[in-house]
Amino acid sequence: PFCRPPFVLRAKPFVLNFSFEIERERMMNLFNPDAAQDKAAVRRECERVKQLALNLIPVAIQTGLHLNVTEVQCGDPTCAPIDTLLQFTWDQGLSKPLGIPKEAKDVTLEDIEMALSDPSVNLEAWQAGNEFGNLRFGLGARVQCRIGEDPVTGWAAGSIVKLMYREENWPPDVVAPYQIQLDDERLIFAPHDIDQVIRAEQ
């Protein structure tokens, strides 16, 4: 995850063309006599993953939580053909997806632990309706943003010019914690408030 110029945002990585998916599934069912059994097996595995995830989430954070686990096809050729999607939705909080690049039957407890430990995952903040928790930097703060592949040279310095940055064409629940003006005058945004993406100037 790098800092990006506004026009390259890829919002909602799990957005599907549902009409296409429904028709594809209907056609597959016509040629697969075991389709009903296969779907039942997937539902059982998704329920297993759900229970494993709930066992890892503190009881206090489960208040008002609706956790839905499904399998989705990933349209990106660089990712797994099928992802297991955990959709966390709180009654008074946010609704956030968390993807694991495996079919549900292959997802292990360790996979879920790793997904939940990602620095960009903040269940407590999501429950409270806060996308990122307490932001680490304020307006005007001097920072370095990861803009390239190289872990040493792929950083650029700049200043925070806006908090909780959004663009008009973004979906309602998509927001970036910071907009940054680099020292070369370019405007970019940081998609996550984590050291791997944005850090204090060194």
Side-chain angles (χ1 to χ4, degrees):
F2 298 155
C3 294
R4 310 165 187 169
F7 61 84
V8 298
L9 175 68
R10 297 294 184 265
K12 292 291 187 183
F14 294 109
V15 168
L16 301 175
N17 183 333
F18 286 104
S19 60
F20 170 78
E21 289 296 316
I22 292 171
E23 179 63 18
R24 183 190 64 81
E25 183 174 347
R26 186 184 71 82
M27 293 301 296
M28 289 181 63
N29 290 347
L30 291 177
F31 299 101
N32 182 5
D34 299 322
Q37 293 181 355
D38 291 346
K39 289 180 66 176
V42 170
R43 284 195 297 269
R44 287 194 298 271
E45 291 299 329
C46 287
E47 181 62 26
R48 178 186 65 83
V49 172
K50 176 180 177 178
Q51 293 305 316
L52 288 175
L54 289 174
N55 289 339
L56 294 172
I57 298 173
V59 174
I61 294 180
Q62 294 187 33
T63 302
L65 171 63
H66 306 276
L67 177 58
N68 186 41
V69 179
T70 57
E71 286 187 348
V72 296
Q73 284 197 321
C74 180
D76 187 338
T78 65
C79 70
I82 295 179
D83 289 339
T84 297
L85 177 65
L86 289 75
Q87 186 73 37
F88 295 86
T89 303
W90 282 269
D91 290 336
Q92 303 298 324
L94 302 180
S95 181
K96 300 290 292 184
L98 184 62
I100 298 176
K102 290 183 176 182
E103 295 181 40
K105 66 181 179 63
D106 297 324
V107 173
T108 65
L109 180 64
E110 289 73 22
D111 293 325
I112 303 171
E113 289 175 332
M114 182 176 298
L116 291 174
S117 66
D118 187 283
S120 66
V121 175
N122 189 332
L123 298 181
E124 186 174 359
W126 295 353
Q127 181 190 39
N130 188 338
E131 179 82 10
F132 302 104
N134 295 321
L135 296 180
R136 296 179 298 152
F137 304 110
L139 288 174
R142 292 289 299 173
V143 295
Q144 290 178 319
C145 299
R146 181 76 179 271
I147 60 171
E149 295 284 349
D150 191 282
V152 177
T153 63
W155 295 84
S159 300
I160 304 291
V161 294
K162 187 173 290 187
L163 304 178
M164 306 305 286
Y165 172 73
R166 279 186 46 78
E167 292 195 355
E168 291 183 359
N169 62 332
W170 292 3
D173 59 346
V174 174
V175 63
Y178 306 109
Q179 185 184 39
I180 307 98
Q181 184 167 33
L182 299 180
D183 290 347
D184 63 9
E185 302 299 324
R186 284 181 295 166
L187 283 172
I188 63 173
F189 68 88
H192 303 293
D193 186 18
I194 55 177
D195 278 338
Q196 295 92 327
V197 173
I198 183 171
R199 67 190 185 191
E201 187 174 35
Q202 299 179 355

